[in-house]
Amino acid sequence: MTSYPQTTVLHGIETNRRNGSLVSPICQSTTFRRDTIDAPTAHQYSRVSNPTVSELETKLGALEDASPAVCFSSGLAAETALILSLCKAGDRVVCSAAAYGGTIRLLTDIFNAFNIDGVFVDSTSPEEIERAITENTTLVLIETPANPTLALTDIRAVAAITKKLCVPLCVDNTFLTLIIQKPLNLGADITVTSTTKLIEGHSAATGGAIVSRDESVLERVRFIRKSTGSIQTPFNAWQTLQGLKTLPIRVKAQSENAQVIAEALADHPTICKVNYPGLSTFDNYDLAVSQHEGHHGNVLSFEAIGGRATAEQLVEALEVCRLVEHVGSVETLVTHSASMTHGDCSRAHLEKIDVTQGLIRLSVGLEEPEVIIQDICQALSQIESREEDLCHAEALAS
Ligand SMILES: *Cc1c(COP(=O)(O)O)cnc(C)c1O
């Protein structure tokens, strides 16, 4: 099934036999009627399960050759359920230091108060993960590529360690999605994805999904979801199903655009750093090639000479790229990570993971890449007071 992801996302949906509608309807019902007290229906109450949510879950699971996913109201709701499923007071979670800001906040500001110890390590070196795993470690949670530095963690190498030490490994796969990175095939036990990003893809519905081939984990996760009330709404699941139909082609097209833009920015004289796993100059390019399936995602980050002052002016001068706290949509989006997504992280944490004040994250969309290159160049030219045309990329665009 996974060899044909584009077909998987388009087919296998129950069409309505009565009126022939090709798009399956939203099952907007809280509850489900049964005939007798001892004959429960497939769905009983929409906090527990719902036909529209189940349709999305079946598809997301099939794409990873796994059981149906468990879908949540947001990515963080999924992470919360994951931690509640696997950890109790006294346990430890070993997490990538360079993770999504909300993941860090969840562990440090919420779970710490319940005596669940979140420990952040540089997961780009698997030995650090091994060193951090203690007797009471019940979850290793890694994010690769890391947000916003794109630093890569070797999933196979970490999985070898967690298997040896019998600790479940979960990969946050939001940035690439199962279309270009399949953590379960690389040895991970669980994936968590914010479907709010690439999977829905149109900035229209929040959601999160947990996928695993381990039924006991899924059963526990569903129990937590039912008990804490964090299931996705039918409407958001339906919206996500519509977005999912174009996920394979969007991810590829947006990744190809990101590659072109990363190469142009790398050549720009006032840009001092570009992080993108598809650049041959990227620190971990070999790992990117072996771990990603042909593409390297739609997110890159860069820094222009001048640090924070430049970053501030640059994001304000952009005309096409929109300044938001979001990635993975069809439009190109920029984020100033240090003050936005990672605004709640301590300075020490930001330094540890190389999130500098000048770093700008770019989530590349479907616009023609020349348009985005030109937009960044015109914004940079407003900052730099040099009269000659510095932008190599402008030549490309014209
Ligand atoms: C956005 C994001 C999350 C959280 O997802 P929400 O749907 O916003 O709750 C988790 N991990 C990563 C990598 C993200 O980008």
Side-chain angles (χ1 to χ4, degrees), residues 82-83 86-87 92-94 137-141 167-170:
L82 175 75
I83 296 166
L86 296 173
C87 309
R92 165 178 280 200
V93 177
V94 174
T137 301
T138 54
L139 171 64
V140 172
L141 175 59
V167 182
L169 171 64
C170 178

Side-chain angles (χ1 to χ4, degrees), residues 130-367:
E130 180 151 18
R131 269 199 294 277
I133 294 176
T134 46
E135 282 269 293
N136 57 338
T137 301
T138 54
L139 171 64
V140 172
L141 175 59
I142 60 174
E143 189 174 318
T144 181
N147 173 21
T149 59
L150 288 309
L152 300 187
T153 294
D154 186 338
I155 298 174
R156 290 184 190 90
V158 175
I161 292 165
T162 54
K163 282 224 156 52
K164 182 178 75 182
L165 300 175
C166 298
V167 182
L169 171 64
C170 178
V171 176
D172 183 332
N173 204 26
T174 301
F175 269 37
L176 296 181
T177 79
L178 45 89
I179 299 302
I180 47 180
Q181 178 167 270
K182 297 189 171 60
L184 301 183
N185 291 354
L186 300 170
D189 304 289
I190 306 158
T191 64
V192 63
T193 305
S194 168
T195 62
T196 313
K197 314 294 168 56
L198 278 165
I199 293 195
E200 192 278 328
H202 299 75
S203 306
T206 61
I210 289 176
V211 175
S212 177
R213 293 170 186 159
D214 183 334
E215 262 316 309
S216 64
V217 167
L218 294 173
E219 197 176 308
R220 180 80 189 143
V221 164
R222 281 192 294 263
F223 177 76
I224 296 290
R225 182 180 69 173
K226 160 171 101 173
S227 306
T228 59
S230 53
I231 194 171
Q232 192 170 34
T233 62
F235 184 75
N236 279 9
W238 181 85
Q239 193 99 43
T240 305
L241 275 164
Q242 307 318 308
L244 187 65
K245 291 176 183 175
T246 53
L247 178 72
I249 57 162
R250 274 190 289 112
V251 170
K252 287 174 194 157
Q254 290 178 233
S255 298
E256 282 160 20
N257 288 352
Q259 180 78 36
V260 173
I261 294 167
E263 285 169 12
L265 297 185
D267 276 350
H268 192 286
T270 65
I271 290 179
C272 46
K273 183 164 196 189
V274 180
N275 301 311
Y276 186 66
L279 291 177
S280 58
T281 50
F282 185 72
D283 277 351
N284 244 327
Y285 179 68
D286 292 343
L287 178 59
V289 171
S290 79
Q291 189 155 280
H292 305 163
E293 302 191 358
H295 292 82
H296 302 286
N298 77 311
V299 180
L300 60 92
S301 57
F302 67 95
E303 182 161 352
I305 293 168
R308 184 172 177 120
T310 300
E312 275 174 18
Q313 293 173 63
L314 177 65
V315 295
E316 280 171 30
L318 291 167
E319 285 166 3
V320 181
C321 305
R322 293 149 200 209
L323 181 63
V324 295
E325 241 182 80
H326 190 35
V327 288
S329 193
V330 286
E331 318 82 0
T332 295
L333 311 170
V334 284
T335 304
H336 182 251
S337 302
S339 59
M340 296 168 71
T341 53
H342 289 64
D344 284 348
C345 292
S346 66
R347 263 197 180 252
H349 193 106
L350 292 181
E351 270 168 33
K352 184 168 156 186
I353 62 174
D354 289 331
V355 177
T356 53
Q357 294 295 321
L359 194 71
I360 291 171
R361 183 182 74 184
L362 192 69
S363 168
V364 176
L366 284 173
E367 302 92 342

Side-chain angles (χ1 to χ4, degrees), residues 41-57:
T41 42
H43 300 280
Q44 293 159 49
Y45 188 60
S46 284
R47 174 164 41 74
V48 182
S49 71
N50 168 279
T52 309
V53 179
S54 292
E55 202 175 292
L56 175 62
E57 292 175 336

